[in-house]
């Protein structure tokens, strides 16, 4: 499989999941602004949306949308329990959707050429959304309890943008980032994307 990624972008989430699962995935660096690959080919040919993450299966089939990609990956190695069993599966989906629609897209205005007023409103909005994470992350090691799941890979990825766009993280989230970043697969994904040495 190939995973089209841009260093540090939301594609870091499936990159972490792939390494946690021990899947054989080749990362393909993509310029999401120019919409090109390193060999000069148009990225639109792979994904007409022009967005990472994009997964290409060995049979050529394409899967887009980070939430779908991480669930597909986790389904290949059910024994790793990165998708919980029973009703907890839907609670993880609840988190993935919250991270995607409320947090990930809540950071988006901060990466654009917006006025300081718009950016300040985005920061206020995110700070309010962080409150919804507090009960889970002060009680548990990870979002779903003691087991690291796909939702943690995604949450770690989006919270990791905070320093770059001047979003202040409460202490419980700083501690959570510390716990997640200590994982060997997370360190390996950061290194593979050239984000750490
Ligand atoms: N709905 C998509 C959004 C993916 C997305 O926003 N990707 C960003 C990087 S974090 C990107 O490719 N941006 C370039 C663009 O939208 O043109 C998903 O959840 O996978």
């Amino acid at each position: 499989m190939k995973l089209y990624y841009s260093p540090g972008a939301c594609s870091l989430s499936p990159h972490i999941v792939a390494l946690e699962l021990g899947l054989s995935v080749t990362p393909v660096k993509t310029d999401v602004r120019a919409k090109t690959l390193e060999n000069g080919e148009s990225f639109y040919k792979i994904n007409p949306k022009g967005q990472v993450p994009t997964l290409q299966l060995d049979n050529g089939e394409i899967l887009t949308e980070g939430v779908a990609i991480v669930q597909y990956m986790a389904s290949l190695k059910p024994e790793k329990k990165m998708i919980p069993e029973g009703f907890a599966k839907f609670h993880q989906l609840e988190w993935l959707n919250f991270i995607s629609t409320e947090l990930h897209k809540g950071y988006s205005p901060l990466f654009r050429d917006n006025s300081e007023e718009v950016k300040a409103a985005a920061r206020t909005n995110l700070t309010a959304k962080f409150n919804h994470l507090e009960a889970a992350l002060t009680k548990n090691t990870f979002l779903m309890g003691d087991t690291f799941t796909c939702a943690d890979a995604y949450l770690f990825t989006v919270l990791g943008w905070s320093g770059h766009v001047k979003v202040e993280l409460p202490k419980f989230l700083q501690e959570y980032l510390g716990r997640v970043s200590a994982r060997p697969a997370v360190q390996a994904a950061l290194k593979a994307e050239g984000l750490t040495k």
Side-chain angles (χ1 to χ4, degrees):
M1 288 187 286
K2 287 182 183 164
L3 176 67
Y4 294 85
Y5 80 99
S6 171
C10 53
S11 42
L12 178 62
S13 160
H15 201 166
I16 290 171
V17 170
L19 294 181
E20 286 278 351
L21 294 167
L23 295 177
S24 169
V25 168
T26 305
V28 181
K29 198 169 172 181
T30 307
D31 184 334
V32 280
R33 284 181 199 272
K35 310 293 178 198
T36 52
L37 306 180
E38 285 192 308
N39 64 9
E41 271 178 36
S42 169
F43 181 45
Y44 284 126
K45 277 197 194 160
I46 308 289
N47 178 359
K49 294 173 187 165
Q51 288 183 316
V52 293
T54 299
L55 189 72
Q56 187 167 35
L57 307 193
D58 292 340
N59 67 5
E61 191 161 341
I62 295 291
L63 187 64
T64 67
E65 300 298 321
V67 169
I69 291 171
V70 293
Q71 285 179 93
Y72 169 68
M73 286 177 164
S75 77
L76 298 175
K77 297 263 179 142
E79 68 280 11
K80 300 270 185 178
K81 299 201 184 318
M82 286 194 72
I83 295 179
E85 284 164 356
F87 195 67
K89 176 177 175 175
F90 300 100
H91 279 309
Q92 186 190 217
L93 191 53
E94 188 179 15
W95 279 127
L96 286 167
N97 202 56
F98 175 75
I99 297 162
S100 177
T101 60
E102 305 292 341
L103 301 183
H104 179 173
K105 291 300 158 182
Y107 277 89
S108 298
L110 299 168
F111 286 101
R112 301 202 186 106
D113 192 16
N114 283 315
S115 66
E116 270 316 308
E117 209 180 350
V118 167
K119 290 186 177 180
R123 289 187 186 100
T124 304
N125 171 54
L126 281 168
T127 303
K129 305 276 179 198
F130 292 158
N131 292 334
H132 301 303
L133 298 163
E134 190 165 7
L137 292 178
T138 45
K139 198 169 63 179
N140 300 316
T141 311
F142 301 115
L143 277 173
M144 294 300 301
D146 289 337
T147 306
F148 182 86
T149 67
C150 298
D152 296 295
Y154 196 9
L155 183 58
F156 172 82
T157 297
V158 303
L159 293 179
W161 300 331
S162 302
H164 183 63
V165 293
K166 301 190 181 77
V167 170
E168 209 170 310
L169 290 180
K171 191 163 172 272
F172 78 93
L173 286 179
Q174 292 176 24
E175 288 171 355
Y176 170 75
L177 287 186
R179 289 197 291 279
V180 176
S181 67
R183 298 179 70 79
V186 174
Q187 282 302 320
L190 292 170
K191 194 169 173 203
E193 296 201 1
L195 301 167
T196 55
K197 288 203 177 145

